[in-house]
Amino acid sequence: MNHPFHADHVGSLLRPDSLKQAYSQKERGEISDEAFQAIEEREILRILKKQQDIGLRSITDGEFRRQIYFGHFIDACSGFTMMESEIEFDETKRKIKYNTPAVTGKVARQRPVAGDEIDLVQRHLRDGAIQKVTLPSPADMHAFRYREGVSDQPDVYPDLDDFFEDIAAAYRQEIADLASRGATYVQLDDTTFTLFCDPMWRNRFAQRGYDPEQMIGRYVDWINTCIAERPENMTISFHQCRGNNQGEWLFSGGYDAVAEQVFGRLNIDSFFLEYDSDRAGGFEPLRFVPQDKFVVLGLISSKTAKIEEKADLLHRLDEASRYVSQARMGISPQCGFASTAPGNPLTEADQWRKLELVVDVAKTVWQTV
């Protein structure tokens, strides 16, 4: 088992107003790149200090250098064009329609994806802290970026195997580069396998001409290929996200539909699982988690300001221990606080209180973070 902490978080943090304002000023050409980068670095250093001050040892730059959680990967690779999304975040109060990258050419890694992030953060870690580098899941590159009628054109990827191999090459190159820069903890953020847990979305996927069950296995094999050359000292975690855009979500359904293949066959070290609402189902699918894997339960919501009760969290951890021993378990918010730059509907103070709660629960249960 190779997972460093019982107290963790998924990665993104709320952007402060000063950084949001700088984004807008940069887009309008009102500030120079140098001035923008100075603001960006100042705010990153602030949240690096804050995470460590409250007792976290799993440290990120808050994804402050990105507009969306997968943006750095798209920016570093050829082959993507922005197009109107084919899906909407429309499950609760409002519809969110947006532009998103689609595969329109050959994909190749042109430059480091997260190199700038790790080079800055590594210089400001205290003893015992480790930087977590987050990357989008390879499976998302097909499920959400590949478009039938566009991506399968003769001069793009009529053969899906060729697309899978080019994506795998990009991930292998990035992981090797991260390792050379000192990275030992990398997380893949995935919104594909939870799609298969939701009957409505699973049916939509089938309407694209795929067998969902067959693709679950194919995606598992593909991800394993992408990370096959990682060094032995690198922890790979896998966050299964149900959609996170300004507090809205996409997918419902328990992990039962994917648990046996995903938990049993993915060659990763730990699973970050969203369990902040009834939409996630029960803990029973955790019985498929092998003895050498770690589970981080996302019991605290990053989508709302309400602070969870510690007693309730302790009870839920106890319930989950019927299927996974507490020694192989951790706790975190269910997702990032700002998978997109606008962020979720809570304040920075709310965010830090929730992360302090993560640390408090971990100390109570495991006497360590």
Side-chain angles (χ1 to χ4, degrees):
M1 185 172 61
N2 185 30
H3 188 91
F5 308 115
H6 293 287
D8 216 319
H9 68 112
V10 171
S12 65
L13 298 170
L14 293 170
R15 277 65 159 181
D17 289 340
S18 61
L19 187 54
K20 291 180 182 180
Q21 181 180 8
Y23 286 149
S24 298
Q25 290 175 320
K26 183 182 178 186
E27 288 178 1
R28 295 193 299 266
E30 295 174 358
I31 59 173
S32 66
D33 289 345
E34 292 76 16
F36 174 79
Q37 290 166 6
I39 296 169
E40 186 178 63
E41 182 166 328
R42 182 192 71 208
E43 294 299 344
I44 290 172
L45 295 180
R46 180 180 64 83
I47 58 104
L48 293 180
K49 180 179 184 300
K50 182 66 175 179
Q51 289 171 80
Q52 294 174 96
D53 284 349
I54 67 173
L56 285 169
R57 295 168 60 202
S58 174
I59 308 300
T60 78
D61 71 346
E63 302 181 5
F64 279 11
R65 295 182 186 271
R66 319 176 201 171
Q67 290 289 316
I68 193 167
Y69 76 95
F70 56 73
H72 61 330
F73 186 90
I74 302 302
D75 291 343
C77 294
S78 63
F80 297 95
T81 301
M82 296 300 292
M83 303 177 72
E84 188 176 78
S85 68
E86 296 182 307
I87 63 174
E88 293 180 338
F89 285 77
D90 62 351
E91 306 299 332
T92 54
K93 297 177 182 177
R94 60 203 168 110
K95 293 181 182 291
I96 300 177
K97 194 76 172 178
Y98 56 98
N99 289 330
T100 193
V103 176
T104 57
K106 295 294 186 180
V107 177
R109 179 179 175 274
Q110 303 294 309
R111 59 177 176 79
V113 176
D116 289 346
E117 295 179 5
I118 192 168
D119 288 348
L120 175 61
V121 175
Q122 291 278 31
R123 299 197 299 269
H124 297 276
L125 294 176
R126 301 173 191 167
D127 288 345
I130 298 176
Q131 181 185 11
K132 176 160 66 174
V133 179
T134 60
L135 301 172
S137 166
D140 286 12
M141 294 300 145
H142 177 256
F144 300 103
R145 311 274 86 83
Y146 186 96
R147 290 196 183 189
E148 293 71 35
V150 175
S151 309
D152 54 3
Q153 294 300 300
D155 60 340
V156 188
Y157 289 109
D159 187 334
L160 200 55
D161 287 340
D162 291 340
F163 174 67
F164 280 21
E165 178 50 41
D166 283 354
I167 292 290
Y171 276 87
R172 289 193 295 265
Q173 292 162 13
E174 179 63 17
I175 288 173
D177 182 67
L178 290 172
S180 74
R181 296 169 187 266
T184 59
Y185 187 11
V186 174
Q187 177 176 288
L188 300 178
D189 290 317
D190 182 273
T191 54
T192 296
F193 289 119
T194 50
L195 176 155
F196 294 119
C197 298
D198 188 312
M200 180 187 73
W201 286 95
R202 189 182 180 107
N203 182 58
R204 288 188 187 182
F205 188 82
Q207 290 173 1
R208 294 171 59 184
Y210 302 109
D211 177 344
E213 198 62 31
Q214 186 267 339
M215 287 303 291
I216 292 170
R218 192 172 184 185
Y219 284 157
V220 168
D221 291 338
W222 184 24
I223 294 168
N224 287 340
T225 298
C226 291
I227 63 175
E229 298 174 6
R230 58 147 165 176
E232 290 186 3
N233 72 333
M234 180 179 284
T235 295
I236 301 282
S237 64
F238 194 75
H239 169 228
Q240 291 181 243
C241 176
R242 296 172 179 274
N244 184 35
N245 190 340
Q246 300 172 66
E248 305 299 317
W249 51 272
L250 287 171
F251 312 128
S252 293
Y255 294 102
D256 311 73
V258 300
E260 193 164 4
Q261 291 213 63
V262 173
F263 296 160
R265 294 184 50 236
L266 268 183
N267 294 330
I268 53 85
D269 301 293
S270 53
F271 295 98
F272 279 69
L273 302 176
E274 299 198 354
Y275 271 111
D276 61 316
S277 76
D278 293 341
R279 290 185 295 107
F283 294 125
E284 292 81 2
L286 299 182
R287 69 186 185 277
F288 291 108
V289 177
Q291 293 293 315
D292 63 343
K293 308 294 184 186
F294 197 93
V295 173
V296 181
L297 296 180
L299 301 176
I300 294 171
S301 176
S302 69
K303 296 179 182 293
T304 68
K306 181 180 179 182
I307 304 297
E308 288 77 5
E309 294 291 335
K310 181 178 178 180
D312 293 339
L313 298 174
L314 295 173
H315 176 69
R316 297 204 72 199
L317 287 168
D318 187 58
E319 283 186 322
S321 69
R322 295 169 55 193
Y323 306 99
V324 176
S325 69
Q326 284 196 343
R328 296 191 291 120
M329 198 184 297
I331 185 171
S332 75
Q334 105 287 347
C335 197
F337 291 92
S339 297
T340 62
N344 290 350
L346 68 167
T347 67
E348 267 203 71
D350 298 327
Q351 167 187 268
W352 295 119
R353 280 195 292 269
K354 285 175 179 271
L355 291 173
E356 288 168 351
L357 181 58
V358 167
V359 171
D360 183 28
V361 170
K363 288 180 176 178
T364 298
V365 176
W366 297 283
Q367 289 76 56
T368 183
V369 295

